[in-house]
mmCIF file with all atom_site columns, all heavy atoms in Angstrom:
data_model
loop_
_atom_site.group_PDB
_atom_site.id
_atom_site.type_symbol
_atom_site.label_atom_id
_atom_site.label_alt_id
_atom_site.label_comp_id
_atom_site.label_asym_id
_atom_site.label_entity_id
_atom_site.label_seq_id
_atom_site.pdbx_PDB_ins_code
_atom_site.Cartn_x
_atom_site.Cartn_y
_atom_site.Cartn_z
_atom_site.occupancy
_atom_site.B_iso_or_equiv
_atom_site.pdbx_formal_charge
_atom_site.auth_seq_id
_atom_site.auth_comp_id
_atom_site.auth_asym_id
_atom_site.auth_atom_id
_atom_site.pdbx_PDB_model_num
ATOM 1   N N   . THR N 1 202 ? -13.972 -9.349  8.383  1.00 0.00 ? 202 THR N N   1
ATOM 2   C CA  . THR N 1 202 ? -12.909 -10.107 7.917  1.00 0.00 ? 202 THR N CA  1
ATOM 3   C C   . THR N 1 202 ? -11.576 -9.252  8.163  1.00 0.00 ? 202 THR N C   1
ATOM 4   O O   . THR N 1 202 ? -11.684 -7.942  8.327  1.00 0.00 ? 202 THR N O   1
ATOM 5   C CB  . THR N 1 202 ? -13.064 -10.366 6.425  1.00 0.00 ? 202 THR N CB  1
ATOM 6   O OG1 . THR N 1 202 ? -12.043 -11.336 6.009  1.00 0.00 ? 202 THR N OG1 1
ATOM 7   C CG2 . THR N 1 202 ? -12.876 -9.160  5.470  1.00 0.00 ? 202 THR N CG2 1
ATOM 8   N N   . GLY N 1 203 ? -10.479 -9.988  8.055  1.00 0.00 ? 203 GLY N N   1
ATOM 9   C CA  . GLY N 1 203 ? -9.231  -9.238  8.219  1.00 0.00 ? 203 GLY N CA  1
ATOM 10  C C   . GLY N 1 203 ? -8.745  -8.835  9.564  1.00 0.00 ? 203 GLY N C   1
ATOM 11  O O   . GLY N 1 203 ? -7.578  -8.717  9.773  1.00 0.00 ? 203 GLY N O   1
ATOM 12  N N   . ALA N 1 204 ? -9.679  -8.850  10.526 1.00 0.00 ? 204 ALA N N   1
ATOM 13  C CA  . ALA N 1 204 ? -9.395  -8.381  11.962 1.00 0.00 ? 204 ALA N CA  1
ATOM 14  C C   . ALA N 1 204 ? -8.725  -9.529  12.739 1.00 0.00 ? 204 ALA N C   1
ATOM 15  O O   . ALA N 1 204 ? -7.991  -9.216  13.699 1.00 0.00 ? 204 ALA N O   1
ATOM 16  C CB  . ALA N 1 204 ? -10.489 -7.719  12.468 1.00 0.00 ? 204 ALA N CB  1
ATOM 17  N N   . SER N 1 205 ? -9.196  -10.694 12.418 1.00 0.00 ? 205 SER N N   1
ATOM 18  C CA  . SER N 1 205 ? -8.651  -11.830 13.285 1.00 0.00 ? 205 SER N CA  1
ATOM 19  C C   . SER N 1 205 ? -8.379  -13.103 12.277 1.00 0.00 ? 205 SER N C   1
ATOM 20  O O   . SER N 1 205 ? -8.474  -13.015 11.164 1.00 0.00 ? 205 SER N O   1
ATOM 21  C CB  . SER N 1 205 ? -9.504  -12.122 14.459 1.00 0.00 ? 205 SER N CB  1
ATOM 22  O OG  . SER N 1 205 ? -10.678 -12.702 13.845 1.00 0.00 ? 205 SER N OG  1
ATOM 23  N N   . ALA N 1 206 ? -8.008  -14.256 12.890 1.00 0.00 ? 206 ALA N N   1
ATOM 24  C CA  . ALA N 1 206 ? -7.663  -15.438 12.118 1.00 0.00 ? 206 ALA N CA  1
ATOM 25  C C   . ALA N 1 206 ? -8.937  -16.009 11.384 1.00 0.00 ? 206 ALA N C   1
ATOM 26  O O   . ALA N 1 206 ? -8.706  -16.782 10.416 1.00 0.00 ? 206 ALA N O   1
ATOM 27  C CB  . ALA N 1 206 ? -7.086  -16.452 13.022 1.00 0.00 ? 206 ALA N CB  1
ATOM 28  N N   . ARG N 1 207 ? -9.955  -15.524 11.838 1.00 0.00 ? 207 ARG N N   1
ATOM 29  C CA  . ARG N 1 207 ? -11.194 -16.083 11.230 1.00 0.00 ? 207 ARG N CA  1
ATOM 30  C C   . ARG N 1 207 ? -12.352 -14.998 11.249 1.00 0.00 ? 207 ARG N C   1
ATOM 31  O O   . ARG N 1 207 ? -12.241 -14.177 12.031 1.00 0.00 ? 207 ARG N O   1
ATOM 32  C CB  . ARG N 1 207 ? -11.726 -17.369 11.931 1.00 0.00 ? 207 ARG N CB  1
ATOM 33  C CG  . ARG N 1 207 ? -12.965 -18.004 11.416 1.00 0.00 ? 207 ARG N CG  1
ATOM 34  C CD  . ARG N 1 207 ? -13.275 -19.277 12.250 1.00 0.00 ? 207 ARG N CD  1
ATOM 35  N NE  . ARG N 1 207 ? -14.443 -19.973 11.900 1.00 0.00 ? 207 ARG N NE  1
ATOM 36  C CZ  . ARG N 1 207 ? -15.585 -19.881 12.572 1.00 0.00 ? 207 ARG N CZ  1
ATOM 37  N NH1 . ARG N 1 207 ? -15.615 -19.194 13.691 1.00 0.00 ? 207 ARG N NH1 1
ATOM 38  N NH2 . ARG N 1 207 ? -16.551 -20.512 12.264 1.00 0.00 ? 207 ARG N NH2 1
ATOM 39  N N   . TYR N 1 208 ? -13.155 -15.026 10.221 1.00 0.00 ? 208 TYR N N   1
ATOM 40  C CA  . TYR N 1 208 ? -14.294 -13.995 10.230 1.00 0.00 ? 208 TYR N CA  1
ATOM 41  C C   . TYR N 1 208 ? -14.974 -14.059 11.526 1.00 0.00 ? 208 TYR N C   1
ATOM 42  O O   . TYR N 1 208 ? -14.953 -15.166 12.228 1.00 0.00 ? 208 TYR N O   1
ATOM 43  C CB  . TYR N 1 208 ? -15.229 -14.295 9.117  1.00 0.00 ? 208 TYR N CB  1
ATOM 44  C CG  . TYR N 1 208 ? -16.352 -15.330 9.440  1.00 0.00 ? 208 TYR N CG  1
ATOM 45  C CD1 . TYR N 1 208 ? -17.368 -15.071 10.097 1.00 0.00 ? 208 TYR N CD1 1
ATOM 46  C CD2 . TYR N 1 208 ? -15.889 -16.596 9.253  1.00 0.00 ? 208 TYR N CD2 1
ATOM 47  C CE1 . TYR N 1 208 ? -18.216 -15.941 10.527 1.00 0.00 ? 208 TYR N CE1 1
ATOM 48  C CE2 . TYR N 1 208 ? -16.828 -17.712 9.640  1.00 0.00 ? 208 TYR N CE2 1
ATOM 49  C CZ  . TYR N 1 208 ? -17.962 -17.365 10.439 1.00 0.00 ? 208 TYR N CZ  1
ATOM 50  O OH  . TYR N 1 208 ? -18.927 -18.249 10.778 1.00 0.00 ? 208 TYR N OH  1
ATOM 51  N N   . PHE N 1 209 ? -15.640 -13.006 11.947 1.00 0.00 ? 209 PHE N N   1
ATOM 52  C CA  . PHE N 1 209 ? -16.411 -13.106 13.131 1.00 0.00 ? 209 PHE N CA  1
ATOM 53  C C   . PHE N 1 209 ? -17.766 -12.234 12.921 1.00 0.00 ? 209 PHE N C   1
ATOM 54  O O   . PHE N 1 209 ? -17.660 -11.233 12.088 1.00 0.00 ? 209 PHE N O   1
ATOM 55  C CB  . PHE N 1 209 ? -15.862 -12.819 14.439 1.00 0.00 ? 209 PHE N CB  1
ATOM 56  C CG  . PHE N 1 209 ? -15.217 -11.466 14.655 1.00 0.00 ? 209 PHE N CG  1
ATOM 57  C CD1 . PHE N 1 209 ? -16.016 -10.386 15.107 1.00 0.00 ? 209 PHE N CD1 1
ATOM 58  C CD2 . PHE N 1 209 ? -13.830 -11.211 14.174 1.00 0.00 ? 209 PHE N CD2 1
ATOM 59  C CE1 . PHE N 1 209 ? -15.404 -9.031  15.151 1.00 0.00 ? 209 PHE N CE1 1
ATOM 60  C CE2 . PHE N 1 209 ? -13.369 -9.837  14.329 1.00 0.00 ? 209 PHE N CE2 1
ATOM 61  C CZ  . PHE N 1 209 ? -14.054 -8.832  14.772 1.00 0.00 ? 209 PHE N CZ  1
ATOM 62  N N   . ARG N 1 210 ? -18.819 -12.441 13.675 1.00 0.00 ? 210 ARG N N   1
ATOM 63  C CA  . ARG N 1 210 ? -20.028 -11.575 13.701 1.00 0.00 ? 210 ARG N CA  1
ATOM 64  C C   . ARG N 1 210 ? -20.047 -10.711 14.886 1.00 0.00 ? 210 ARG N C   1
ATOM 65  O O   . ARG N 1 210 ? -19.591 -11.100 15.896 1.00 0.00 ? 210 ARG N O   1
ATOM 66  C CB  . ARG N 1 210 ? -21.309 -12.453 13.561 1.00 0.00 ? 210 ARG N CB  1
ATOM 67  C CG  . ARG N 1 210 ? -21.418 -12.991 12.070 1.00 0.00 ? 210 ARG N CG  1
ATOM 68  C CD  . ARG N 1 210 ? -22.477 -14.239 12.084 1.00 0.00 ? 210 ARG N CD  1
ATOM 69  N NE  . ARG N 1 210 ? -23.750 -13.595 12.461 1.00 0.00 ? 210 ARG N NE  1
ATOM 70  C CZ  . ARG N 1 210 ? -24.908 -14.445 12.633 1.00 0.00 ? 210 ARG N CZ  1
ATOM 71  N NH1 . ARG N 1 210 ? -24.663 -15.746 12.621 1.00 0.00 ? 210 ARG N NH1 1
ATOM 72  N NH2 . ARG N 1 210 ? -25.972 -13.883 12.995 1.00 0.00 ? 210 ARG N NH2 1
ATOM 73  N N   . VAL N 1 211 ? -20.630 -9.554  14.769 1.00 0.00 ? 211 VAL N N   1
ATOM 74  C CA  . VAL N 1 211 ? -20.790 -8.676  15.825 1.00 0.00 ? 211 VAL N CA  1
ATOM 75  C C   . VAL N 1 211 ? -22.302 -8.646  16.220 1.00 0.00 ? 211 VAL N C   1
ATOM 76  O O   . VAL N 1 211 ? -23.083 -7.968  15.717 1.00 0.00 ? 211 VAL N O   1
ATOM 77  C CB  . VAL N 1 211 ? -20.252 -7.399  15.635 1.00 0.00 ? 211 VAL N CB  1
ATOM 78  C CG1 . VAL N 1 211 ? -20.207 -6.377  16.799 1.00 0.00 ? 211 VAL N CG1 1
ATOM 79  C CG2 . VAL N 1 211 ? -18.939 -7.432  14.953 1.00 0.00 ? 211 VAL N CG2 1
ATOM 80  N N   . ALA N 1 212 ? -22.686 -9.327  17.407 1.00 0.00 ? 212 ALA N N   1
ATOM 81  C CA  . ALA N 1 212 ? -23.989 -9.567  17.803 1.00 0.00 ? 212 ALA N CA  1
ATOM 82  C C   . ALA N 1 212 ? -24.708 -8.264  18.241 1.00 0.00 ? 212 ALA N C   1
ATOM 83  O O   . ALA N 1 212 ? -25.778 -7.958  17.705 1.00 0.00 ? 212 ALA N O   1
ATOM 84  C CB  . ALA N 1 212 ? -24.070 -10.704 18.936 1.00 0.00 ? 212 ALA N CB  1
ATOM 85  N N   . ALA N 1 213 ? -23.924 -7.415  18.885 1.00 0.00 ? 213 ALA N N   1
ATOM 86  C CA  . ALA N 1 213 ? -24.438 -6.213  19.312 1.00 0.00 ? 213 ALA N CA  1
ATOM 87  C C   . ALA N 1 213 ? -24.831 -5.259  18.165 1.00 0.00 ? 213 ALA N C   1
ATOM 88  O O   . ALA N 1 213 ? -25.869 -4.499  18.184 1.00 0.00 ? 213 ALA N O   1
ATOM 89  C CB  . ALA N 1 213 ? -23.358 -5.482  20.315 1.00 0.00 ? 213 ALA N CB  1
ATOM 90  N N   . MET N 1 214 ? -23.935 -5.306  17.237 1.00 0.00 ? 214 MET N N   1
ATOM 91  C CA  . MET N 1 214 ? -24.218 -4.444  16.045 1.00 0.00 ? 214 MET N CA  1
ATOM 92  C C   . MET N 1 214 ? -25.523 -4.983  15.251 1.00 0.00 ? 214 MET N C   1
ATOM 93  O O   . MET N 1 214 ? -26.429 -4.327  14.674 1.00 0.00 ? 214 MET N O   1
ATOM 94  C CB  . MET N 1 214 ? -23.097 -4.394  15.025 1.00 0.00 ? 214 MET N CB  1
ATOM 95  C CG  . MET N 1 214 ? -21.915 -3.572  15.561 1.00 0.00 ? 214 MET N CG  1
ATOM 96  S SD  . MET N 1 214 ? -20.599 -3.546  14.239 1.00 0.00 ? 214 MET N SD  1
ATOM 97  C CE  . MET N 1 214 ? -19.496 -2.297  15.139 1.00 0.00 ? 214 MET N CE  1
ATOM 98  N N   . GLU N 1 215 ? -25.496 -6.398  15.134 1.00 0.00 ? 215 GLU N N   1
ATOM 99  C CA  . GLU N 1 215 ? -26.729 -6.951  14.467 1.00 0.00 ? 215 GLU N CA  1
ATOM 100 C C   . GLU N 1 215 ? -28.014 -6.629  15.296 1.00 0.00 ? 215 GLU N C   1
ATOM 101 O O   . GLU N 1 215 ? -29.025 -6.250  14.525 1.00 0.00 ? 215 GLU N O   1
ATOM 102 C CB  . GLU N 1 215 ? -26.521 -8.420  14.380 1.00 0.00 ? 215 GLU N CB  1
ATOM 103 C CG  . GLU N 1 215 ? -25.377 -8.914  13.584 1.00 0.00 ? 215 GLU N CG  1
ATOM 104 C CD  . GLU N 1 215 ? -25.004 -10.406 13.569 1.00 0.00 ? 215 GLU N CD  1
ATOM 105 O OE1 . GLU N 1 215 ? -25.839 -11.153 14.256 1.00 0.00 ? 215 GLU N OE1 1
ATOM 106 O OE2 . GLU N 1 215 ? -24.248 -10.727 12.600 1.00 0.00 ? 215 GLU N OE2 1
ATOM 107 N N   . GLN N 1 216 ? -28.013 -6.560  16.550 1.00 0.00 ? 216 GLN N N   1
ATOM 108 C CA  . GLN N 1 216 ? -29.270 -6.330  17.253 1.00 0.00 ? 216 GLN N CA  1
ATOM 109 C C   . GLN N 1 216 ? -29.611 -4.719  17.034 1.00 0.00 ? 216 GLN N C   1
ATOM 110 O O   . GLN N 1 216 ? -30.756 -4.379  16.814 1.00 0.00 ? 216 GLN N O   1
ATOM 111 C CB  . GLN N 1 216 ? -29.148 -6.630  18.668 1.00 0.00 ? 216 GLN N CB  1
ATOM 112 C CG  . GLN N 1 216 ? -29.146 -8.042  18.939 1.00 0.00 ? 216 GLN N CG  1
ATOM 113 C CD  . GLN N 1 216 ? -28.345 -8.449  20.255 1.00 0.00 ? 216 GLN N CD  1
ATOM 114 O OE1 . GLN N 1 216 ? -28.056 -7.660  21.126 1.00 0.00 ? 216 GLN N OE1 1
ATOM 115 N NE2 . GLN N 1 216 ? -28.031 -9.689  20.366 1.00 0.00 ? 216 GLN N NE2 1
ATOM 116 N N   . ALA N 1 217 ? -28.525 -3.950  17.068 1.00 0.00 ? 217 ALA N N   1
ATOM 117 C CA  . ALA N 1 217 ? -28.841 -2.529  16.986 1.00 0.00 ? 217 ALA N CA  1
ATOM 118 C C   . ALA N 1 217 ? -29.398 -2.119  15.628 1.00 0.00 ? 217 ALA N C   1
ATOM 119 O O   . ALA N 1 217 ? -30.404 -1.240  15.526 1.00 0.00 ? 217 ALA N O   1
ATOM 120 C CB  . ALA N 1 217 ? -27.458 -1.672  17.324 1.00 0.00 ? 217 ALA N CB  1
ATOM 121 N N   . LEU N 1 218 ? -28.903 -2.778  14.735 1.00 0.00 ? 218 LEU N N   1
ATOM 122 C CA  . LEU N 1 218 ? -29.290 -2.506  13.284 1.00 0.00 ? 218 LEU N CA  1
ATOM 123 C C   . LEU N 1 218 ? -30.611 -3.175  12.915 1.00 0.00 ? 218 LEU N C   1
ATOM 124 O O   . LEU N 1 218 ? -31.454 -2.557  12.145 1.00 0.00 ? 218 LEU N O   1
ATOM 125 C CB  . LEU N 1 218 ? -28.253 -2.984  12.145 1.00 0.00 ? 218 LEU N CB  1
ATOM 126 C CG  . LEU N 1 218 ? -26.956 -2.195  12.252 1.00 0.00 ? 218 LEU N CG  1
ATOM 127 C CD1 . LEU N 1 218 ? -25.929 -2.907  11.320 1.00 0.00 ? 218 LEU N CD1 1
ATOM 128 C CD2 . LEU N 1 218 ? -27.156 -0.867  11.611 1.00 0.00 ? 218 LEU N CD2 1
#
Side-chain angles (χ1 to χ4, degrees):
Chain N
T202 191
S205 66
R207 178 174 178 258
Y208 82 86
F209 61 90
R210 288 168 58 190
V211 187
M214 289 184 174
E215 293 180 351
Q216 285 152 17
L218 290 170

